[in-house]
Amino acid sequence: MTSLSRRSFLKGATALGAAAALGAGASTTWFAPGAQAHAAATEEWKPATCPACHNPICGTQVKVVDGVAVEIKGDPKSPTNQGRLCPRGLSVLGGLYHPYRVKKPLKRTNPEKGLDVDPGWVEITWDEAMEITTQKLKECMEKDPRGLFTQTGFGNEDSFKRLIFEGPFGTPNGLTTSGPLCADHFGPMATKGTKVDKCDMERCDYLLLMGRSIGDEWGLAHQNTKEYVDAVARGMKVVCVNPRKTNSAQTGEWVPIAPGTDVAMCWAIVNVMLHEIGRCDEHFLKVRTNSSYLVEDAYETLKGTKVCFQDYVRDPATGKPLVWDQAANAAVPFDTSVGDTYALFGEYEVQGKRVKTCLQLIKDYVVDMTPEWAEEVTTVPATTTRRIAQELVDYARIGSTIEIDGETFPFRPAMALAPGRGANSNPLNVELFKAIEVVNELLGNIDVPGGSLGLEHGDLHVMKTDADGLLVPPASDNFKNQVLGQEKLSFPPQSYKLECFYPHELHVMQLVWRATVDPESYYLDYKPEVYMVLGGGNPLRSNSNPEPVVEALKQIPFTFTISLWMDELTQFADIVLPEHHALERYALWNATWISNKGTSDYSRRLRIIEARKPVVEPVFDTRQQEDLLIQYAHALGILPKMTGIANKGFQGKFLPDKPGGIAEEFALSPKEPYTYADVVERKLKTQFGGDGWDAVSECAVVGYELPDVKSSYIWHWHPENAYRIPVYFSYNARSARMLREMLAENNIEFPHADIDEVLRQYSAAPLFFEFEGMHPTEEFPFKVLQFKTHFQVNDSSGLSYNHWLHDVEEHFDPNLKKVLLAPARAAELGLAEGDEVVIESMYGGKTSGVLHLSEMIHPSTLAISGKWGAKGAGLVDFAHEGPHYNTLLNDDERDIGFMMGNLNNSVAVKVYKA
């Protein structure tokens, strides 16, 4: 059994970066204990966790005086942040007592809906609010349960991992605001079975960042930033390819690139590695990838693009993919041996067909994708691309090994890190991931020391294979279909996710609203009846052009929100239910990952669980969203189903020898309603025994470490040919074949798109094409891009409305909410620093802002940060400041990524004086 004794952690660590503006701890003088002179103040420091980013694993301490939270600081006992806390975390108290919070249940009296329409709110009791919403849910379930739409936001994991309501209710329409931007998990899921690539920061010597920044956005206070800074100080070379000179670029070499063209540079790097340098990790490619698998030398041309949809050549007796064994001089099933004698390159005659290896196919496909070709697309000099390719190969030390804890591993200290949501949000997003992962596979660096790592599922080492020997994501992972697609396409679509048309998508959120207005054109036979929004969901702020969302929301008969704040979405609600602030609610997350994008020996070995009790009584008449879901489930008669799901798998495994859900002796009763506090306590009892909460009584974040460093590498558990990963992405091709068959069998057309345009994005081999809006035009001479800031990484915690954080933003960077433009381009247009300007999109959307001239962006680019320019009434005034970026984006199929359903996040625009 794994030891759970707490380590002795570093103390006295200071907060990072701009956190100094708030001091070592953030406190408020609004509630001065001295005002109660008649009695001695009752003072207590309570353990909690920070809710202010996607990964809520930073332990905090909250000072409570006479029931009022007055100060917050990082907890030095926390194994993750070790006393550090970032500006977002230090500002959390500013949300707890914020006057703009929803304080009581509200009912709409004005039937007209719109962003600037007064809803005519009246306060009602909780009894009335629950009666109304329960009745609407009941009517929907009786009519057609698919008519319930639920919406969550891009919040934090302890709200994502809530109790499952949608399945028991019977609706397939559980939607997430961030769905169209979550295509950034495709590459890591395909090659590592995990959501995000991580750099081995302790051993990597060369890090290529393609449209990705690291250490300066979110997760600042736990290990991300420290690991990155330590690696740079150690001498790791950083090359940052990005239209903007990010903080990461300032720690290394900046390579400016035109937005949305990264894939051309990546395939050019592959071209140089295969056609010029001619050196790759042959052993890794033979035993760990499908490079040797044989495919027929056949392709088709769609929209002028050569694409591959063919399956492997298979053994007639076993159905297994064939490889060419050079020792036997014959085609044999892929698992005949480890693979050292399999051919990586070459063309052969098999079963009367001309076939070639998958790697030969790729080599042939990229033959014309030279650095000179890529320069015309990207503006990156060919000499730069060629040099980076050579540096990757040189730094990778192909063939070298390293000994860790007495075990010998391959050692590959160079890698390219998979892109973020900016670089991959366009129709070529899958190609960018394919290209980057092929670069890493050629280097042989995947899941070995120094390279590109996964390991995101605790210490369970869940690495399964399909019948072809390829790695498949864990069955429980909701992102698995990004790699595998649907096993079978069933028409008509059952959900507004349009799964039969977008078999690899997470949620095609930008099309949900068009389908709501015109369901028949998407072959849907029902409409949404009830729209329930929770967890900070807000597609009016976190998606594409909000106008179609507005029109759709006007047509949904009943909308209710469980909200911390009034926002754009509440403007369309019929009932608003006030939610607890994070410091008033129970929370638990079994953290299956610690560091994002980078990892050290410490964080890679660490497993933690966080559990938070309320530190104060509710300030207003609010409730916990999970308790509301339990109450609804009980009233609707679906509590047994919801309870069964929780008992079986709530939050998954933490300790290897404990159940993944709730142990039988602590199981929830399916007959009687319970509270979320009960659920959390029973999960803690399952893991730790006692009363459950004892384990987190001193610090809300507890953990254990794997016994040694070697066991933190997947290669230790699954070496050599234990599984294979794709250079030829056969599941893409399978989905293309199935999609084509489904359309033909049902005699239908793909909704609102040319099927050839759709299918060409599913090619299993390298691909490049130019899409609408890829390049500036004479009329629209710039590409616009949005970049993430530390202060606005999500909004489920109300970061946009937090006045403390707003003050820090203003002092940290007074240009944060401005429109960035290169000085030379501004001079061409007669624009100057501080001008009020209008940005107009090729799709007709317009927004405005104040111009700031900067040499830190590509000259073809306009750059806008954050999530500014909120719309609607009832918001804190400063939430309206800055440009509204999403107004510029397209919301239909003209520039969608058809395989993932992602939107195009960088379109062509023009700029002029207001």
Side-chain angles (χ1 to χ4, degrees):
M1 177 176 175
T2 307
S3 173
L4 284 177
S5 60
R6 186 185 302 279
R7 288 173 51 89
S8 175
F9 295 109
L10 296 175
K11 297 183 178 181
T14 58
L16 294 171
L22 292 177
S27 61
T28 174
T29 57
W30 301 342
F31 305 93
Q36 300 184 20
H38 59 280
T42 302
E43 180 180 309
E44 183 180 5
W45 283 95
K46 295 187 176 184
T49 58
C50 178
C53 85
H54 187 47
N55 194 12
I57 60 173
C58 288
T60 61
Q61 295 177 339
V62 182
K63 184 179 181 179
V64 179
V65 178
D66 289 338
V68 176
V70 299
E71 185 177 352
I72 190 167
K73 63 183 180 180
D75 190 338
K77 297 186 295 295
S78 171
T80 49
N81 55 314
Q82 299 170 325
R84 298 180 294 264
L85 202 57
C86 77
R88 290 190 309 269
L90 290 166
S91 72
V92 165
L93 289 184
L96 176 62
Y97 296 111
H98 201 295
Y100 278 75
R101 280 186 59 187
V102 184
K103 303 175 180 67
K104 289 181 176 293
L106 301 174
K107 181 171 72 172
R108 183 184 206 93
T109 61
N110 183 1
E112 183 184 356
K113 294 184 177 182
L115 281 171
D116 298 315
V117 176
D118 182 1
W121 297 119
V122 295
E123 292 183 355
I124 59 175
T125 65
W126 270 104
D127 286 345
E128 183 180 357
M130 293 303 292
E131 181 180 355
I132 293 171
T133 52
T134 301
Q135 183 60 33
K136 293 294 184 180
L137 288 169
K138 183 178 181 181
E139 292 171 0
C140 177
M141 190 164 66
E142 291 174 349
K143 179 180 179 180
D144 186 341
R146 298 177 300 169
L148 171 64
F149 282 27
T150 65
Q151 178 88 62
T152 55
F154 188 66
N156 53 52
E157 290 285 354
D158 67 21
S159 61
F160 282 172
K161 308 301 183 186
R162 59 179 171 79
L163 298 174
I164 304 301
F165 181 79
E166 291 82 356
F169 188 91
T171 179
N173 292 302
L175 310 172
T176 65
T177 302
S178 57
L181 298 178
C182 276
D184 65 337
H185 302 306
F186 171 79
M189 291 294 283
T191 58
K192 303 167 195 70
T194 58
K195 295 183 183 67
V196 182
D197 282 346
K198 301 175 183 67
C199 172
D200 187 352
M201 288 296 176
E202 272 190 54
R203 295 178 179 84
C204 184
D205 293 328
Y206 190 97
L207 175 60
L208 175 62
L209 297 171
M210 295 295 304
R212 171 72 87 178
S213 57
I214 186 169
D216 63 327
E217 296 168 348
W218 57 272
L220 288 189
H222 46 83
Q223 299 299 310
N224 265 4
T225 305
K226 180 182 183 301
E227 291 167 345
Y228 180 74
V229 170
D230 288 348
V232 172
R234 175 178 57 79
M236 181 179 72
K237 180 178 175 63
V238 177
V239 178
C240 184
V241 181
N242 201 300
R244 184 176 70 93
K245 192 170 186 179
T246 64
N247 287 347
S248 301
Q250 295 173 55
T251 61
E253 176 186 358
W254 178 38
V255 179
I257 190 170
T261 65
D262 310 66
V263 62
M265 181 178 177
C266 287
W267 282 131
I269 290 173
V270 173
N271 171 284
V272 173
M273 294 173 73
L274 289 176
H275 289 277
E276 296 183 21
I277 300 173
R279 187 169 177 226
C280 54
D281 191 333
E282 293 191 6
H283 178 75
F284 182 93
L285 291 165
K286 288 178 178 181
V287 306
R288 196 69 159 187
T289 76
N290 66 354
S291 295
S292 296
Y293 289 23
L294 299 175
V295 291
E296 187 177 359
D297 187 12
Y299 63 87
E300 57 183 292
T301 301
L302 298 177
K303 311 292 286 186
T305 304
K306 187 166 68 171
V307 296
C308 283
F309 297 144
Q310 60 266 42
D311 192 10
Y312 308 119
V313 179
R314 296 182 178 274
D315 177 45
T318 65
K320 295 178 179 180
L322 293 173
V323 298
W324 189 264
D325 190 324
Q326 291 175 310
N329 196 32
V332 300
F334 78 93
D335 57 354
T336 301
S337 72
V338 172
D340 275 330
T341 59
Y342 296 167
L344 283 178
F345 301 99
E347 298 187 29
Y348 308 93
E349 184 84 20
V350 176
Q351 298 174 3
K353 303 174 184 177
R354 292 298 300 171
V355 302
K356 59 180 63 174
T357 67
C358 287
L359 191 56
Q360 182 67 54
L361 186 74
I362 290 172
K363 184 177 181 179
D364 293 346
Y365 264 60
V366 301
V367 66
D368 296 323
M369 295 179 177
T370 65
E372 287 73 22
W373 163 81
E375 181 175 353
E376 294 296 315
V377 179
T378 66
T379 74
V380 177
T383 54
T384 300
T385 299
R386 194 168 272 112
R387 170 177 59 82
I388 290 172
Q390 185 67 61
E391 289 175 348
L392 281 166
V393 172
D394 291 343
Y395 274 85
R397 307 184 202 176
I398 294 170
S400 66
T401 60
I402 188 173
E403 186 170 301
I404 299 175
D405 297 330
E407 181 174 338
T408 300
F409 289 84
F411 183 44
R412 302 292 178 270
M415 67 163 293
L417 191 64
R421 288 179 170 82
N424 78 65
S425 291
N426 61 61
L428 283 170
N429 70 314
V430 172
E431 289 309 303
L432 180 54
F433 277 112
K434 285 161 59 178
I436 285 179
E437 298 301 349
V438 168
V439 167
N440 287 327
E441 289 170 279
L442 291 174
L443 298 174
N445 67 24
I446 292 181
D447 272 326
V448 301
S452 179
L453 307 180
L455 193 61
E456 200 171 81
H457 300 282
D459 58 345
L460 308 180
H461 318 298
V462 182
M463 311 300 280
K464 303 293 186 181
T465 63
D466 63 12
D468 296 337
L470 261 68
L471 176 69
V472 293
S476 60
D477 199 306
N478 61 343
F479 287 89
K480 63 182 181 295
N481 282 348
Q482 286 200 344
V483 175
L484 306 179
Q486 306 285 335
E487 283 194 32
K488 181 181 179 181
L489 302 186
S490 299
F491 178 84
Q494 291 302 301
S495 83
Y496 274 61
K497 302 172 190 176
L498 306 173
E499 66 284 341
C500 66
F501 298 114
Y502 297 88
H504 289 257
E505 57 79 33
L506 182 61
H507 302 144
V508 197
M509 277 304 305
Q510 70 273 40
L511 299 185
V512 166
W513 313 111
R514 289 191 167 272
T516 298
V517 174
D518 184 17
E520 292 80 8
S521 70
Y522 290 91
Y523 307 100
L524 292 158
D525 60 359
Y526 66 98
K527 290 186 175 184
E529 298 289 336
V530 175
Y531 184 37
M532 178 173 72
V533 183
L534 65 165
N538 187 351
L540 284 159
R541 292 200 67 192
S542 302
N543 208 261
S544 53
N545 180 8
E547 291 182 6
V549 186
V550 169
E551 293 308 308
L553 291 176
K554 289 179 179 179
Q555 295 190 24
I556 298 177
F558 185 78
T559 295
F560 73 101
T561 68
I562 304 172
S563 300
L564 188 64
W565 312 88
M566 301 301 286
D567 58 18
E568 293 96 332
L569 219 291
T570 58
Q571 283 290 106
F572 295 86
D574 297 282
I575 297 289
V576 178
L577 304 178
E579 182 185 7
H580 284 345
H581 183 272
L583 297 181
E584 302 166 327
R585 69 193 306 271
Y586 290 88
L588 181 140
W589 185 43
N590 173 17
T592 53
W593 51 286
I594 306 298
S595 282
N596 174 51
K597 309 169 195 171
T599 181
S600 65
D601 289 351
Y602 173 69
S603 64
R604 199 169 55 256
R605 293 165 61 197
L606 184 63
R607 305 289 176 262
I608 68 102
I609 194 168
E610 62 94 356
R612 185 178 66 238
K613 280 184 176 181
V615 300
V616 294
E617 293 296 318
V619 178
F620 306 112
D621 189 12
T622 59
R623 294 187 183 179
Q624 178 141 351
Q625 68 171 12
E626 290 87 352
D627 288 342
L628 297 178
L629 294 179
I630 293 168
Q631 190 171 342
Y632 287 133
H634 181 62
L636 297 169
I638 59 173
L639 186 62
K641 290 183 180 179
M642 191 164 81
T643 303
I645 295 172
N647 283 334
K648 183 178 180 180
F650 178 67
Q651 294 279 341
K653 276 184 173 290
F654 175 59
L655 296 176
D657 59 346
K658 299 293 184 179
I662 298 174
E664 187 174 348
E665 67 256 46
F666 305 121
L668 299 159
S669 169
K671 298 179 180 179
E672 299 296 331
Y674 41 85
T675 66
Y676 193 61
D678 295 330
V679 179
V680 173
E681 180 178 303
R682 290 164 189 254
K683 179 67 176 183
L684 292 174
K685 285 182 177 180
T686 296
Q687 300 300 317
F688 306 113
D691 75 350
W693 290 103
D694 288 344
V696 290
S697 60
E698 294 183 12
C699 177
V701 181
V702 295
Y704 64 93
E705 293 183 40
L706 299 183
D708 47 39
V709 175
K710 68 181 181 183
S711 61
S712 69
Y713 287 103
I714 285 293
W715 190 271
H716 166 78
W717 301 96
H718 303 275
E720 301 294 337
N721 67 335
Y723 60 82
R724 295 175 181 270
I725 55 179
V727 297
Y728 182 84
F729 290 78
S730 57
Y731 281 106
N732 299 23
R734 183 186 76 166
S735 293
R737 298 192 300 268
M738 290 168 55
L739 186 54
R740 182 176 272 166
E741 291 168 5
M742 181 197 72
L743 297 176
E745 288 173 3
N746 292 280
N747 193 29
I748 58 172
E749 295 182 353
F750 193 94
H752 305 285
D754 182 336
I755 186 57
D756 287 351
E757 179 65 46
V758 174
L759 290 175
R760 72 170 174 174
Q761 296 186 26
Y762 284 83
S763 179
L767 181 73
F768 181 84
F769 59 86
E770 296 199 354
F771 54 86
E772 180 172 295
M774 183 175 184
H775 299 292
T777 64
E778 184 176 353
E779 182 179 3
F780 298 97
F782 298 97
K783 288 293 293 294
V784 67
L785 69 85
Q786 184 183 49
F787 59 94
K788 189 183 296 182
T789 73
H790 164 76
F791 306 102
Q792 299 294 328
V793 293
N794 61 50
D795 210 25
S796 66
S797 303
L799 301 178
S800 298
Y801 314 126
N802 191 310
H803 53 291
W804 287 12
L805 201 56
H806 176 258
D807 289 345
V808 175
E809 291 166 359
E810 293 291 305
H811 287 88
F812 175 76
D813 183 357
N815 299 309
L816 199 59
K817 297 181 182 179
K818 295 181 180 178
V819 180
L820 276 57
L821 178 64
R825 298 303 305 275
E828 293 174 6
L829 300 173
L831 298 175
E833 177 75 23
D835 281 350
E836 293 277 351
V837 295
V838 174
I839 305 99
E840 182 176 344
S841 163
M842 60 184 288
Y843 294 109
K846 295 180 182 179
T847 189
S848 60
V850 177
L851 194 65
H852 173 57
L853 305 185
S854 173
E855 297 282 5
M856 298 176 70
I857 58 170
H858 191 280
S860 71
T861 303
L862 277 173
I864 298 171
S865 75
K867 295 171 63 177
W868 317 123
K871 299 176 181 291
L875 308 181
V876 62
D877 289 344
F878 57 74
H880 298 286
E881 296 173 358
H884 189 271
Y885 185 85
N886 291 353
T887 298
L888 303 171
L889 305 181
N890 181 39
D891 62 283
D892 61 27
E893 289 85 353
R894 280 175 288 177
D895 61 355
I896 198 172
F898 284 106
M899 185 172 156
M900 290 291 160
N902 61 284
L903 55 81
N904 181 12
N905 203 31
S906 178
V907 301
V909 299
K910 57 185 174 182
V911 59
Y912 48 87
K913 283 186 180 180

